[in-house]
Amino acid sequence: MRKIIKWTALLLFAILAFLIFRTLLQSGFFKAINSHEKEPLSVIKGMVGAEDITIDRTIKKALVSADDRRSHREGKDVKGAIYLLDYLADPPVFTDLTADFPQTDFHPHGISLYHDWSDSTKWLFVVNHRDKGHFIEIFRFTDSTLIHQESISNPAICSPNDVAGIGKRKFYFTNDHDKGGGIERWKDYLLIGTGQVGFFDGENVEIFDSGLGYSNGVNLSKDGEIIYTACTTDRKLIAYDRATHRRMGELDCQTGLDNIELDENGNLWIGCHPKMLAFANHAKNAESRSPSQVLKIEPDLDDFSKSKITEVYLNDGNPLSGSSAATVDGGLLLLGTVFDDGVGLGKW
């Protein structure tokens, strides 16, 4: 009996050691951070928690989704905002487009700007984590104002992280988990995927992929025929055929992927968390810094797994920590983070 107990204990210890090592390896714990940048980032202060950024290239300005998440967690009465950022102004200036939006519990997350070229209208989709549930807010964007149109909720949109609009009220979305609760966070550490990708067709929701490791950013290819989804803890980018919602391929990126933006050539730009456990610590404590990383991905549609990955930017957590979004206009780079104050502006 003693031998059985001994060997059982050793087996359990070995399993536990393996799980811990696997988590540390997958999280980037052992990764060396060799900072590099074309020039030091300047930080445009005043937008706390600028988690997602998208550029409207028709007016050369950016829309920024920001929320002071730490203050909200502490029970403070704070409201998030969608800012219009003129990054080409000297100095850059920004305006709160939702200052008069009547929701006091407005907490925006992922955003997507959809252009309807048939009537030249623009529509902003916003993931909104309200006190009473999760919503996708739809605004009409007039280049200088946001006009709220609708709040969409559905039981299947249970933990939305990002959204990609494809019509006036049609969109793709990710659930980073298939339900709430603390047990889901432990599954993240155990690398048990519970994330989902779904589609709202204007009436109904279809979840077409699940079991993903923290499904995060979602976006469409330049021609609109491919859906891209970033999986943070899986460290991979998945491509789907939009016509069938079937997987076309996966790309191992060796880092924690967050939001996805496209440049004018259809290349993907992703803000990343190269050390995910450091980011988890940063989420709890602002003084604990987490490296910021930007990847540029040039998709290979013949063999998606061979798409070209270029690390454009990497820092040690300063001046901005916990990068979640990266987008470019020409040679300019905009960098957003989950918790820090400000948007990074530099060259790539």
Side-chain angles (χ1 to χ4, degrees):
M1 180 62 71
R2 290 182 178 178
K3 287 185 177 181
I4 294 176
I5 295 174
K6 177 182 177 181
W7 284 108
T8 300
L10 287 173
L11 177 61
L12 292 175
F13 177 79
I15 292 173
L16 179 61
F18 169 76
L19 292 175
I20 292 173
F21 177 76
R22 185 181 66 159
T23 297
L24 292 174
L25 185 65
Q26 189 79 354
S27 71
F29 182 83
F30 304 107
K31 184 179 295 184
I33 300 298
N34 299 310
S35 301
H36 64 90
E37 56 190 356
K38 188 170 185 178
E39 67 172 27
L41 283 181
S42 61
V43 179
I44 308 167
K45 294 280 189 176
M47 295 169 282
V48 180
E51 196 273 343
D52 202 4
I53 306 172
T54 190
I55 290 177
D56 183 350
R57 290 185 172 82
T58 65
I59 61 172
K60 292 288 187 176
K61 294 180 182 178
L63 291 158
V64 180
S65 171
D67 189 28
D68 188 349
R69 293 168 181 83
R70 286 200 178 92
S71 293
H72 181 56
R73 289 177 180 179
E74 293 169 0
K76 297 178 182 178
D77 187 16
V78 295
K79 176 184 173 183
I82 302 296
Y83 293 102
L84 182 63
L85 170 62
D86 185 350
Y87 51 87
L88 295 178
D90 187 16
V93 294
F94 57 89
T95 306
D96 184 351
L97 299 184
T98 50
D100 297 325
F101 188 44
Q103 290 182 7
T104 57
D105 59 345
F106 180 56
H107 297 290
H109 200 155
I111 58 175
S112 171
L113 183 63
Y114 167 72
H115 293 250
D116 190 331
W117 301 110
S118 67
D119 57 9
S120 299
T121 56
K122 302 175 187 178
W123 304 84
L124 186 71
F125 294 77
V126 181
V127 173
N128 184 14
H129 303 298
R130 300 190 65 184
D131 295 340
K132 62 180 180 180
H134 306 288
F135 297 83
I136 305 297
E137 310 290 352
I138 303 177
F139 297 85
R140 182 170 176 180
F141 178 48
T142 68
D143 293 351
S144 59
T145 62
L146 287 176
I147 304 169
H148 188 248
Q149 303 294 305
E150 187 176 3
S151 299
I152 294 176
S153 64
N154 186 289
I157 307 175
C158 58
S159 185
N161 191 300
D162 198 15
V163 62
I166 64 163
K168 288 183 173 67
R169 63 188 312 271
K170 296 180 179 181
F171 54 84
Y172 288 92
F173 66 93
T174 55
N175 286 321
D176 45 41
H177 300 88
D178 58 13
K179 55 186 174 182
I183 188 65
E184 300 304 302
R185 304 301 171 184
W186 282 108
K187 288 182 179 179
D188 290 339
Y189 286 108
L190 293 173
L191 305 179
I192 299 173
T194 64
Q196 301 173 325
V197 189
F199 175 55
F200 178 73
D201 65 4
E203 297 294 335
N204 302 302
V205 171
E206 173 198 358
I207 300 294
F208 60 86
D209 202 0
S210 58
L212 305 177
Y214 205 105
S215 43
N216 199 320
V218 62
N219 213 327
L220 276 74
S221 59
K222 186 177 181 179
D223 61 11
E225 296 183 359
I226 301 170
I227 308 156
Y228 297 111
T229 297
C231 299
T232 306
T233 56
D234 280 344
R235 306 192 306 177
K236 65 185 178 184
L237 184 70
I238 305 176
Y240 302 89
D241 182 338
R242 182 178 159 191
T244 63
H245 291 166
R246 294 179 179 175
R247 290 195 188 192
M248 297 174 57
E250 300 177 2
L251 178 64
D252 184 0
C253 296
Q254 296 292 305
T255 191
L257 306 173
D258 209 304
N259 290 308
I260 307 168
E261 288 295 318
L262 271 66
D263 63 22
E264 293 176 329
N265 297 317
N267 299 311
L268 281 59
W269 291 76
I270 306 179
C272 304
H273 309 287
K275 286 183 171 287
M276 286 179 267
L277 293 180
F279 176 71
N281 290 330
H282 172 65
K284 300 174 185 176
N285 179 9
E287 300 302 317
S288 178
R289 309 303 283 170
S290 175
S292 290
Q293 181 186 39
V294 176
L295 296 185
K296 174 188 176 184
I297 297 176
E298 301 171 59
D300 183 335
L301 301 184
D302 293 324
D303 186 347
F304 190 67
S305 66
K306 295 182 179 178
S307 298
K308 182 180 178 181
I309 303 173
T310 304
E311 183 182 73
V312 173
Y313 176 86
L314 181 66
N315 74 21
D316 62 358
N318 295 291
L320 288 172
S321 195
S323 54
S324 56
T327 187
V328 296
D329 181 12
L332 291 178
L333 170 69
L334 293 174
L335 183 71
T337 72
V338 183
F339 297 102
D340 274 357
D341 178 6
V343 169
L345 177 63
K347 294 182 180 180
W348 65 275

